[in-house]
Amino acid sequence: QKIIETPKNKKVLEFLDLFIKKVLKADKEIDFETRLLLENKVRELQDKEILNIWNRFVNSKNEIEAQNNVKDLLEILVEKSLK
């Protein structure tokens, strides 16, 4: 029996969708469970480049830095999903 593996670009798109729904569209502070879910999902991608940018985002020191890091994260997610 053959195991069907989800293509990496689909996993990246699924993470992007989750990020948009849980972070960008959030109307309140992100709770611990959501942070943990996102952290696990980004690690499941097994992509060092995405993980590095994710870590820059979550370790942002202020709102402006977070906004710049989120732009970088969105850009890399879109790039990787198109491959």
Side-chain angles (χ1 to χ4, degrees), residues 18-54:
L18 184 67
F19 184 81
I20 290 168
K21 289 176 179 167
K22 299 289 187 178
V23 177
L24 298 182
K25 288 188 165 186
D27 55 0
K28 59 185 185 325
E29 192 167 329
I30 311 304
D31 62 27
F32 177 77
E33 289 78 21
T34 302
R35 288 177 193 226
L36 188 60
L37 173 66
L38 288 162
E39 185 76 29
N40 288 333
K41 291 293 184 187
V42 79
R43 288 183 183 284
E44 284 175 16
L45 297 175
Q46 296 180 337
D47 186 299
K48 197 178 284 188
E49 194 175 7
I50 291 173
L51 185 58
N52 287 340
I53 296 172
W54 168 259

